[in-house]
């Protein structure tokens, strides 16, 4: 188990999260999201919030990495996107919450 906290590694994680967010909102199966947001996705500004390393009780040799992006339009925060990958750098989950 090793996580290297370097600027390039953190940038890569944010980049992967942003790509995953774009894939999520462009997916044909998620077209209903446009109705929930009530504005074009192109108006959204993605803001890098934080990266967390999460360990589970009893399985200390494995961890997940959670990358949080805030979604903003103008001065209003309109949602949050969470990208999660395992300790093998594989995407395992994501979550989009619109306010």
């Amino acid at each position: 188990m090793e996580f290297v906290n370097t600027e390039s590694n953190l940038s890569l994680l944010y980049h992967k999260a942003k790509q995953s967010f774009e894939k999520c909102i462009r997916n044909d199966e998620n077209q209903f999201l446009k109705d929930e947001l009530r504005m074009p996705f192109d108006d959204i500004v993605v803001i890098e919030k934080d990266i967390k390393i999460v360990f589970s009780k009893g399985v200390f040799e494995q961890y997940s990495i959670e990358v949080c992006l805030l979604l903003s339009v103008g001065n209003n925060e309109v949602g949050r996107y969470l990208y999660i990958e395992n300790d093998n750098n594989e995407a395992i989950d994501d979550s989009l919450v619109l306010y």
Side-chain angles (χ1 to χ4, degrees):
M1 168 186 70
E2 182 178 336
F3 179 80
V4 180
N5 183 15
T6 64
E7 188 174 339
S8 63
N9 282 350
L10 298 180
S11 291
L12 177 60
L13 285 168
Y14 281 122
H15 179 72
K16 289 162 75 171
K18 290 174 185 176
Q19 283 184 319
S20 182
F21 170 69
E22 283 293 321
K23 185 177 176 184
C24 174
I25 62 173
R26 305 283 182 227
N27 186 326
D28 289 338
E29 294 177 7
N30 292 337
Q31 291 302 309
F32 67 93
L33 295 172
K34 289 181 182 178
D35 295 333
E36 288 184 23
L37 186 60
R38 296 185 213 126
M39 65 186 66
F41 281 119
D42 293 336
D43 291 349
I44 293 177
V45 175
V46 177
I47 302 167
E48 299 171 351
K49 184 173 187 300
D50 54 33
I51 297 174
K52 297 177 184 174
I53 300 173
V54 180
F55 294 92
S56 297
K57 184 177 179 180
V59 190
F60 296 110
E61 62 276 357
Q62 295 177 342
Y63 59 89
S64 61
I65 300 169
E66 298 180 355
V67 182
C68 183
L69 303 174
L70 296 180
L71 311 175
S72 178
V73 175
N75 291 331
N76 298 321
E77 187 175 315
V78 296
R80 173 180 304 236
Y81 182 76
L82 188 65
Y83 167 81
I84 304 170
E85 67 177 37
N86 62 20
D87 54 339
N88 293 320
N89 302 318
E90 302 165 330
I92 57 172
D93 203 1
D94 70 337
S95 172
L96 173 60
V97 177
L98 298 173
Y99 308 141

